[in-house]
Amino acid sequence: MGSLWSEGHSSSILCVGASPGPEGLIASGAEGGEVTVWTQEGAVVGRLALPGQEDVTSAAFSPAASAHLYVSHGDGVSVFDPRNLKGPVEDFRSAGEEEINAVALNETGSNVAVADDSGAVRILEIPGGKVCRSLRRHTNICSSVAFRPHRPNNLVSVGLDMQVILWGLQKNRPLWTLNLQDAAEEAGDQQRPGQLFNPPLAHCVSVSGCGNVLGCAAEDGRVHLMRIGGGSKLEQHGAVKAHTQGASQAHFISFLSHPHWMVTGGNDGLVALWDLSKHPVVNPEGKTQTTAPQRRKGKSSRRRREQTTSGPKLSISHGDKVNWLCPAVLKGEPSVIVADQSTNLTVYPLSQL
């Protein structure tokens, strides 16, 4: 069912990024400092080995300039021209306090956020890479970071301290923090006898295209969902039991019929596609999703809902632990690109929907 993209790497692929646009390129990063750029058919455009041979942990194209590819390795970020992959156009050394786990760009490409092992999130100005903000609240590794669409002053970060933090960048402070462990206990999650308990360490965060729903893949196998209401308050939170082992990846998809399609991947080797438009966190009134519902001002409701009835619309037994998922339209076909423990990428079509 999936097609294999091979001969781009000699070590395990850790991350994948897709350039916007119908002719957009794909970039992947691997252990040992390998960066590879691909066409939409899976042909290698360019390969590069970074001098320090540090693992490439994240790769992201600028939404505003597809000729700028941002790659994190060690505590630095390098910027490449993906069509001329010879050396970096810019190098931001010590962009992170410690090793960087993820990079994210805002909608205009004027800021890059980096999440690192110290728990810090730093915001870099583009061009130049000057650190303009340092956000410190995580008490363990910060694993993932994302800007909130349509809200340039909002950023979300998650970490191995099980915290989800929505930041207000105007004052460089958290607008709210959700502890996923507390949320699970509040929901009455009970550990069955003999069940191996995995705490909800947060691995990956994504924001829906409407900007109002967060999804976070966690070690407890769930994708934790949060809806943001008026005044950027946390209005509701809940979860989808998505994987039998840790969920490593969760990404909202921008190119399907509505903004609340999500693809997830886990240590159980499954890749799953979810329609979350009727989930009570996403759509509390249970109406057909067209526009975001109007909410009364006032105290936010922080109830938690768990979806147990509706399963994924598509479930793929990939078979290997998922390192990264990248939704992309490849030659007009909605697809998901999967990186695992191997040296190959696998592409699965989503078009049967």
Side-chain angles (χ1 to χ4, degrees), residues 7 10 18 20 22 31 33 51 56 74 132 138 181 184 188 217 223 261 281 290 292 314 320 352:
E7 299 179 10
S10 60
E31 294 174 352
V56 177
C132 59
H138 288 287
Q181 179 101 59
V223 174
W261 287 97
V281 168
T290 48
L314 182 64
D320 199 358
Q352 56 206 64

Side-chain angles (χ1 to χ4, degrees), residues 25-349:
L25 297 170
I26 308 299
S28 54
E31 294 174 352
E34 295 180 359
V35 180
T36 301
V37 174
W38 313 74
T39 68
Q40 293 190 10
E41 292 90 356
V44 173
V45 176
R47 288 180 65 176
L48 182 76
L50 298 173
Q53 296 188 329
E54 296 163 315
D55 292 352
V56 177
T57 53
S58 190
F61 288 88
S62 170
S66 59
H68 290 161
L69 167 64
Y70 293 79
V71 165
S72 61
H73 52 97
D75 65 2
V77 175
S78 296
V79 189
F80 293 97
D81 177 349
R83 295 192 179 276
N84 185 23
L85 201 65
K86 288 182 178 171
V89 180
E90 287 189 277
D91 249 336
F92 309 144
R93 300 188 187 280
S94 301
E97 294 182 18
E98 293 181 19
E99 183 169 337
I100 296 168
N101 299 303
V103 300
L105 285 101
N106 65 352
E107 289 174 298
T108 60
S110 61
N111 286 139
V112 175
V114 300
D116 73 28
D117 276 0
S118 75
V121 177
R122 282 179 165 182
I123 312 290
L124 314 181
E125 291 177 346
I126 301 301
K130 179 187 173 187
V131 177
C132 59
R133 291 179 176 85
S134 289
L135 310 173
R136 293 183 182 85
R137 191 58 63 97
H138 288 287
T139 57
N140 203 326
I141 288 169
C142 185
S143 50
S144 183
V145 64
F147 285 94
R148 189 179 167 202
H150 318 300
R151 301 288 192 283
N153 288 313
N154 280 187
L155 178 88
V156 60
S157 64
V158 303
L160 302 194
D161 56 359
M162 302 178 279
Q163 306 278 356
V164 179
I165 303 176
L166 183 71
W167 297 89
L169 298 181
Q170 285 170 315
K171 296 184 178 178
N172 294 344
R173 63 178 179 81
L175 298 175
W176 51 260
T177 299
L178 178 67
N179 183 302
L180 297 180
Q181 179 101 59
D182 293 348
E185 289 172 1
E186 178 190 320
D189 290 354
Q190 296 297 320
Q191 187 179 347
R192 290 188 293 275
Q195 182 186 20
L196 194 64
F197 175 70
N198 286 328
L201 314 177
H203 295 306
C204 176
V205 70
S206 179
V207 190
S208 64
C210 65
N212 296 331
V213 182
L214 308 181
C216 173
E219 189 62 29
D220 59 358
R222 289 179 172 83
V223 174
H224 297 263
L225 300 173
M226 289 136 269
R227 188 177 75 252
I228 304 172
S232 295
K233 290 186 172 66
L234 174 60
E235 203 163 66
Q236 198 164 14
H237 59 89
V240 175
K241 186 75 177 83
H243 295 274
T244 57
Q245 296 179 40
S248 55
Q249 289 279 288
H251 296 273
F252 282 104
I253 300 174
S254 61
F255 47 76
L256 294 180
S257 57
H258 58 69
H260 299 127
W261 287 97
M262 172 179 270
V263 64
T264 67
N267 297 342
D268 56 2
L270 280 181
V271 175
L273 180 70
W274 306 82
D275 179 355
L276 299 176
S277 60
K278 294 182 176 63
H279 190 284
V281 168
V282 175
N283 188 16
E285 281 82 10
K287 296 173 184 171
T288 304
Q289 199 80 18
T290 48
T291 55
Q294 295 295 311
R295 306 291 294 175
R296 287 177 304 145
K297 290 183 180 177
K299 194 173 180 182
S300 65
S301 159
R302 292 183 59 159
R303 292 167 295 166
R304 178 186 168 89
R305 304 281 182 90
E306 177 106 17
Q307 183 187 33
T308 53
T309 52
S310 173
K313 296 295 181 188
L314 182 64
S315 186
I316 300 163
S317 279
H318 177 67
D320 199 358
K321 178 182 170 185
V322 173
N323 280 344
W324 203 279
L325 295 177
C326 179
V329 178
L330 302 176
K331 306 308 289 183
E333 183 167 46
S335 308
V336 60
I337 306 168
V338 182
D340 55 31
Q341 310 290 290
S342 77
T343 60
N344 303 319
L345 293 172
T346 309
V347 177
Y348 295 104

